[in-house]
């Protein structure tokens, strides 16, 4: 999941970091005028007189010395040559020390110029749009990044961490919404103490995984010792009722149903009455898949909302739907109050951009993610999880 967005953003960030690190390191590579120093000519070796009373060994020509034999130890240099060599080493030490001080003084903190920032942000923009981040959200992200980078003083010794931190900071900010997300399971547990049954109405287009998501939530609630009733109120789609019955049988929970073509609001009403009579904790209400352009079906959904008076209305949609999804949710929200979004099929989303743009684009918080077919493949929304998956902290 998030593979496309993670790969694109990471490549842009790493490329920019590499360029900036090379700019900082470049001055230190030009060592100050070492190559122009005058060569030190060694004095000729001192003449060694032959010791009295000892035989002089015949000299062996240099080219005839076997490789495995040690070469003659060179004779010590004159005092003048030693002093010159010592002064040369001292000069080098001073220059290296001076260079290090200059680097620390000048490059310990750096600021990016406008052209560097603009080039970096242009590359980020392309990567985000290619990964299904909406244009509106991308522009907000880039404006925030520009402000942060212009005001930031980056530590030249840790540029990678500094740039990565700025990207992560802006990602967190664009995923914030005025309406805070509800943690569904704790919300239901708390609500059930004072107002049984808790009613949750699920909306969304056909094929988004709405019925399977309802089964996953029923599984999570049952694991917490809560009693659940399912309402098979999708009386429009073929096999929808059978699918709900299948999940109810596997989970061991009751399901209220009627025939195809019957009034879905009446099925939901009966399910709520059944739950009240048996003091059940929660009623999870399915509905037919709706398109925002079908006014008759929207009117039917409004009727269901009035009849059931849900504690939560949740829109279930696919994370792989692309940028059109945000417009679809906004159109639904004009007619029906939507409290939160569940994004399904996150494990199939090769791009990942919808995850970070949908809340900003719609103003409706994401509540949960569907990450597979298993009943436990449903995880609460977490901005930290998203950002860590896309741009891990360095």
């Amino acid at each position: 999941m998030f593979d496309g967005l993670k790969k694109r953003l990471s490549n842009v960030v790493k490329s920019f970091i590499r360029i900036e690190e090379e700019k900082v390191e470049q001055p230190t590579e030009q060592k100050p005028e070492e190559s122009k120093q005058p060569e030190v000519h060694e004095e000729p070796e001192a003449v060694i007189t032959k010791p009295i009373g000892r035989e002089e060994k015949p000299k062996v020509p240099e080219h005839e010395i076997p490789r495995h034999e040690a070469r003659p130890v060179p004779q010590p240099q004159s005092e003048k040559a030693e002093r010159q060599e010592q002064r040369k080493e001292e000069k080098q030490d001073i220059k290296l020390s001076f260079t290090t001080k200059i680097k620390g003084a000048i490059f310990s903190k750096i600021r990016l110029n406008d052209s560097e920032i603009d080039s970096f942000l242009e590359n980020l923009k392309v990567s985000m749009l290619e990964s299904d981040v909406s244009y509106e959200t991308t522009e907000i992200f880039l404006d925030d990044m520009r402000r942060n980078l212009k005001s930031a003083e980056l530590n030249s010794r840790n540029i990678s961490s500094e740039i990565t931190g700025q990207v992560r900071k802006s990602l967190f900010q664009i995923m914030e919404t005025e309406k805070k997300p509800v943690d569904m399971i704790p919300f239901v547990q708390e609500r059930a103490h004072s107002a049984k049954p808790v009613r949750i109405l699920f909306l969304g287009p056909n094929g988004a995984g709405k019925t399977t998501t309802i089964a996953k939530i029923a599984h999570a609630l049952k694991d917490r010792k809560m009693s659940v009733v399912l309402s098979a109120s999708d009386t429009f789609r073929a096999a929808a009722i059978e699918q709900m019955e299948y999940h109810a049988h596997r989970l061991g929970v009751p399901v209220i149903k009627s025939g195809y073509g019957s009034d879905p609001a009446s099925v939901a009403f009966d399910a709520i009455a059944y739950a009240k009579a048996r003091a059940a904790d929660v009623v999870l209400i399915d509905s037919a898949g709706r398109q925002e352009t079908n006014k008759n079906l929207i009117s039917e959904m409004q009727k269901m909302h009035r009849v059931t008076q849900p504690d939560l209305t949740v829109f279930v949609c696919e994370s792989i739907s692309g940028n059109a999804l945000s417009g679809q949710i906004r159109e639904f929200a004009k007619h029906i109050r939507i409290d939160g979004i569940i994004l399904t099929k996150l494990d199939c989303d090769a791009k990942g951009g919808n995850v970070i743009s949908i809340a900003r684009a719609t103003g409706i918080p994401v509540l949960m993610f569907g990450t597979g077919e298993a009943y436990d493949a449903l995880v609460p929304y977490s901005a930290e999880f998203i950002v860590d998956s896309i741009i891990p902290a360095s």
Side-chain angles (χ1 to χ4, degrees):
M1 62 188 74
F2 313 115
D3 289 344
L5 183 58
K6 178 180 180 180
K7 182 178 180 180
R8 288 185 175 93
L9 286 189
S10 295
N11 287 343
V12 173
V13 172
K14 287 177 182 177
S15 177
F16 181 70
I17 288 169
R18 186 167 57 251
I19 292 170
E20 292 305 314
E21 285 178 337
E22 288 173 357
K23 288 179 181 178
V24 171
E25 291 171 359
Q26 188 175 2
T28 65
E29 294 172 358
Q30 299 175 352
K31 294 185 180 180
E33 302 297 326
E34 287 183 14
S35 60
K36 295 183 180 180
Q37 294 230 1
E39 295 183 4
V40 179
H41 297 283
E42 297 180 355
E43 294 287 334
E45 294 182 356
V47 178
I48 302 175
T49 58
K50 177 181 176 183
I52 300 173
R54 294 187 184 179
E55 292 185 3
E56 182 179 357
K57 292 183 179 180
K59 294 183 179 179
V60 181
E62 180 72 13
H63 65 277
E64 293 183 10
I65 299 176
R67 292 183 180 179
H68 63 276
E69 292 183 9
R71 294 180 181 273
V73 179
Q75 298 299 326
Q77 297 175 332
S78 66
E79 292 183 6
K80 180 180 178 181
E82 289 179 358
R83 286 196 300 271
Q84 287 177 335
E85 186 67 27
Q86 185 178 359
R87 284 196 297 270
K88 179 180 176 182
E89 291 177 359
E90 287 174 354
K91 287 179 182 178
Q92 284 185 338
D93 289 341
I94 292 170
K95 287 180 180 179
L96 290 174
S97 177
F98 180 72
T99 302
T100 303
K101 289 178 181 178
I102 290 294
K103 180 180 177 182
I106 297 178
F107 298 111
S108 60
K109 292 290 183 181
I110 61 171
R111 284 183 180 273
L112 303 178
N113 61 46
D114 288 345
S115 62
E116 290 173 325
I117 293 173
D118 291 341
S119 175
F120 177 46
L121 296 185
E122 184 61 29
N123 290 329
L124 280 180
K125 180 177 183 177
V126 173
S127 297
M128 295 182 78
L129 293 176
E130 288 178 344
S131 301
D132 277 349
V133 181
S134 69
Y135 184 83
E136 176 188 2
T137 303
T138 298
E139 287 297 312
I140 294 171
F141 171 78
L142 296 178
D143 288 344
D144 189 72
M145 277 291 298
R146 182 173 282 104
R147 285 192 300 270
N148 290 341
L149 289 175
K150 280 190 173 184
S151 61
E153 287 189 339
L154 306 179
N155 186 337
S156 65
R157 295 175 181 82
N158 201 12
I159 289 179
S160 176
S161 178
E162 296 268 346
I163 297 294
T164 299
Q166 293 295 335
V167 176
R168 286 171 56 86
K169 178 181 176 181
S170 294
L171 282 175
F172 276 117
Q173 289 175 345
I174 65 169
M175 287 190 288
E176 289 182 356
T177 56
E178 292 182 5
K179 191 175 183 180
K180 297 304 178 184
V182 174
D183 197 344
M184 277 189 71
I185 304 303
F187 171 84
V188 171
Q189 289 176 307
E190 183 179 348
R191 187 87 168 179
H193 289 304
S194 57
K196 288 186 180 183
V198 180
R199 291 156 286 182
I200 305 178
L201 174 62
F202 294 85
L203 316 176
N206 279 329
K210 189 164 62 273
T211 304
T212 303
T213 299
I214 291 172
K216 290 177 180 180
I217 293 173
H219 172 75
L221 292 170
K222 191 179 177 190
D223 275 355
R224 290 161 177 78
K225 311 301 181 185
M226 301 190 74
S227 52
V228 182
V229 175
L230 304 182
S231 175
S233 297
D234 184 354
T235 60
F236 181 76
R237 178 173 64 88
I241 296 173
E242 287 79 5
Q243 184 183 7
M244 184 64 80
E245 285 182 304
Y246 168 78
H247 288 302
H249 176 72
R250 287 193 63 189
L251 293 168
V253 299
V255 56
I256 307 302
K257 62 177 184 175
S258 186
Y260 288 104
S262 59
D263 181 14
S266 67
V267 178
F269 181 85
D270 291 343
I272 293 170
Y274 177 91
K276 285 180 178 178
R278 289 159 179 77
D281 295 311
V282 190
V283 179
L284 305 179
I285 305 166
D286 197 4
S287 65
R290 301 298 200 261
Q291 295 299 324
E292 73 280 8
T293 54
N294 192 322
K295 302 305 179 185
N296 291 332
L297 292 176
I298 289 291
S299 296
E300 184 181 282
M301 186 61 62
Q302 289 175 315
K303 178 183 176 182
M304 283 191 71
H305 197 276
R306 288 195 306 270
V307 169
T308 60
Q309 294 293 303
D311 298 284
L312 279 178
T313 304
V314 178
F315 192 91
V316 181
C317 51
E318 296 175 320
S319 63
I320 57 177
S321 297
N323 286 326
L325 181 59
S326 297
Q328 188 181 53
I329 296 173
R330 283 196 296 261
E331 189 62 31
F332 264 100
K334 292 178 182 178
H335 307 285
I336 303 162
R337 185 198 81 231
I338 298 176
D339 299 303
I341 299 166
I342 293 180
L343 280 174
T344 64
K345 306 180 184 180
L346 199 65
D347 54 316
C348 303
D349 188 359
K351 294 185 176 181
N354 258 329
V355 176
I356 68 171
S357 62
I358 193 168
R360 169 68 67 173
T362 64
I364 301 170
V366 178
L367 307 181
M368 305 187 94
F369 297 132
T371 58
E373 291 294 325
Y375 285 143
D376 59 356
L378 191 68
V379 296
Y381 171 84
S382 167
E384 288 79 8
F385 169 73
I386 298 169
V387 175
D388 287 344
S389 298
I390 298 171
I391 300 287
S394 61

